[in-house]
């Protein structure tokens, strides 16, 4: 197989998971902006996600968020996904929107609140059983705002205890992905603030617990690709929540703010073997002012472009320049790949997959947007927090 053929083959196997919540209404902290035609329930979210997969060919799974995507019959939801040609992906928990969680959830000083939070996580594992989901994705808003508000070490003990109970409930082939975030909503301490804290807990739990990297959850200037390389080296990178940020957790379209960073991350994924392993590539975005489905299609394409460039890095030339200590040549090898226009290559890959080479144009021409605006009238539109 030629080098270009190998690149094409790898791109054809790529899978980017889309988030159910990105298809619903969302907004800033000040306003949720409603759009016509957005889904009214999780089944309609899957309908929209199937359109993204139809035109990109590489978005076969859809992440759920509980309780936002709670239904009476999860087997029926999974069957609906299968009928559409997609599957249920990660199940995301929510321990940050109830009044009881004002001082935390799994780390709360009150044992009754901690019990409620853990029971919710166990509910999510049950949903995984019913839908065939592999991954339980955990992000905790737990933390403190003031020095002395709570005991930092005790909160870590509570976190470890709760995670251990949920870990023991995981079935064969299921995983726990622990996410971290620098700050927000807590401002003094965050109970899982960085990759080191998440890694330490996952290491103690065992092989089914891995770290998930949200690209918007770091301090400005953080070298995310170093974190990715290290977690891959240790076999503890479970997945990504891809998005873009300028200032904090902006949840903008992946690759919109810093496409070079996305390329650098994907190079480390390719270099570390993560592209051919169980690393889950997921989007975690909210589309507040732009149309939902086109924004998600564009995001999937952005990940594809960064991946294609990373696959085109001349590994031999790079290794030779690094071994010779040729700083400029080593950098040039990377930059040559990054500066390559991979859009013609990706158009070829799509045509070989039997897809339209231009997903955005194909979606706009298919009439789906007009159809859902006409049909999805009445009922409660499903949005962020709905």
């Amino acid at each position: 197989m030629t080098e270009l053929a190998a690149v094409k083959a790898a791109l054809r196997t790529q899978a980017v998971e889309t988030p159910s919540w990105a298809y619903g209404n969302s907004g800033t902290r000040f306003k949720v902006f409603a759009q016509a035609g957005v889904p009214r329930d999780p089944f309609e979210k899957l309908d929209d996600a199937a359109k993204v997969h139809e035109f990109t060919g590489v978005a076969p799974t859809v992440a759920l968020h509980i309780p936002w995507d709670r239904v009476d019959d999860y087997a029926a939801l999974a069957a609906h996904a299968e009928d559409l040609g997609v599957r249920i992906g990660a199940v995301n928990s929510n321990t940050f929107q109830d009044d009881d969680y004002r001082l935390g959830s799994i780390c709360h000083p009150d044992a009754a609140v901690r019990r409620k939070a853990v029971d919710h996580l166990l509910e999510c594992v049950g949903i995984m059983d019913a839908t065939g989901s592999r991954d339980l994705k955990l992000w905790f808003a737990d933390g403190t705002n003031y020095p002395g508000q709570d005991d930092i070490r005790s909160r870590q003990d509570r976190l470890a205890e709760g995670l251990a109970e949920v870990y023991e409930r995981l079935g064969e082939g299921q995983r726990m992905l622990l996410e971290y975030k620098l700050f927000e909503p807590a401002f003094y301490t965050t109970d899982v603030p960085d990759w080191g804290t998440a890694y330490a807990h996952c290491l103690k739990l065992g092989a089914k617990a891995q770290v998930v990297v949200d690209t918007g959850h770091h301090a400005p200037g953080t070298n995310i690709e170093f974190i990715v390389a290290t977690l891959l080296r240790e076999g503890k990178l479970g997945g990504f929540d891809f998005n873009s940020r300028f200032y904090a957790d902006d949840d903008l379209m992946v690759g919109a703010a810093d496409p070079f960073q996305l390329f650098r991350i994907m190079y480390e994924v390719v270099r570390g073997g993560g592209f051919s392993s169980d690393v889950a590539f997921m989007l975690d975005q909210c589309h507040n002012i732009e149309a939902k489905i086109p924004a998600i299609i564009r995001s999937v394409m952005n990940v594809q472009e960064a991946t294609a460039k990373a696959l085109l890095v001349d590994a031999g030339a790079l290794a030779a320049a690094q071994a010779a200590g040729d700083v400029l040549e080593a950098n040039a090898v990377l930059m040559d790949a990054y500066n390559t226009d991979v859009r013609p290559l990706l158009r070829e890959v799509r045509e070989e997959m039997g897809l339209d080479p231009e997903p955005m144009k194909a979606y706009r021409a298919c009439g789906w947007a007009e159809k859902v605006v006409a049909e999805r009238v009445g009922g409660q539109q499903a949005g962020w927090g709905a």
Side-chain angles (χ1 to χ4, degrees), residues 279-301:
V279 176
F281 300 97
M282 301 175 276
L283 302 180
D284 182 10
Q285 306 171 170
C286 288
H287 305 292
N288 304 330
I289 59 175
E290 65 270 29
K292 312 289 183 180
I293 297 176
I296 298 171
I297 291 175
R298 173 63 68 191
S299 297
V300 171
M301 294 171 66

Side-chain angles (χ1 to χ4, degrees), residues 167-186:
Y167 184 88
E168 289 303 316
R169 171 64 179 81
L170 293 174
E172 188 69 28
Q174 293 179 338
R175 308 188 302 174
M176 171 189 293
L177 303 183
L178 183 57
E179 190 174 348
Y180 59 90
K181 187 175 183 179
L182 174 66
F183 79 101
E184 193 189 48

Side-chain angles (χ1 to χ4, degrees), residues 219-242:
T222 298
N223 190 316
I224 299 175
E225 55 267 33
F226 174 83
I227 298 171
V228 170
T230 301
L231 289 173
L232 274 170
R233 182 174 180 269
E234 298 299 323
K236 278 295 183 181
L237 180 65
F240 291 93
D241 273 4
F242 279 129

Side-chain angles (χ1 to χ4, degrees), residues 50 64 80 88 98 125 129 138 151 170 200 243 347 352 375 385:
L64 300 183
H80 183 64
I88 302 300
D98 289 5
V125 180
D129 293 340
L138 306 176
D151 187 76
L170 293 174
N243 52 58
R347 284 194 287 269
E352 291 169 2
E375 293 181 354

Side-chain angles (χ1 to χ4, degrees), residues 106-107 140 155-164 191-192 201:
I106 196 172
C107 303
F140 299 106
R155 293 181 73 89
Q156 289 296 308
D157 292 339
R158 299 167 202 154
L159 174 65
E161 181 180 353
L163 290 176
D191 291 311
V192 190
H201 282 282

Side-chain angles (χ1 to χ4, degrees), residues 27-41:
T28 68
R29 287 165 179 78
F30 306 102
K31 169 69 177 174
V32 172
F33 301 103
Q35 294 187 20
V38 300
R40 294 165 296 183
D41 57 44

Side-chain angles (χ1 to χ4, degrees), residues 61-127:
T61 58
V62 188
L64 300 183
H65 211 301
I66 306 300
W68 304 344
D69 294 320
R70 205 173 257 153
V71 296
D72 293 331
D73 189 339
Y74 289 102
L77 187 67
H80 183 64
E82 292 283 352
D83 289 343
L84 294 168
V86 295
R87 304 185 309 279
I88 302 300
V91 174
N92 292 252
S93 62
N94 182 320
T95 56
F96 51 86
Q97 286 195 308
D98 289 5
D99 287 344
D100 286 341
Y101 299 142
R102 180 170 57 91
L103 299 179
S105 62
I106 196 172
C107 303
H108 199 287
D110 187 332
V113 176
R114 296 200 300 275
R115 183 70 259 159
K116 173 181 176 177
V118 171
D119 285 346
H120 169 66
L121 304 184
L122 295 174
E123 173 198 4
C124 289
V125 180
I127 294 169

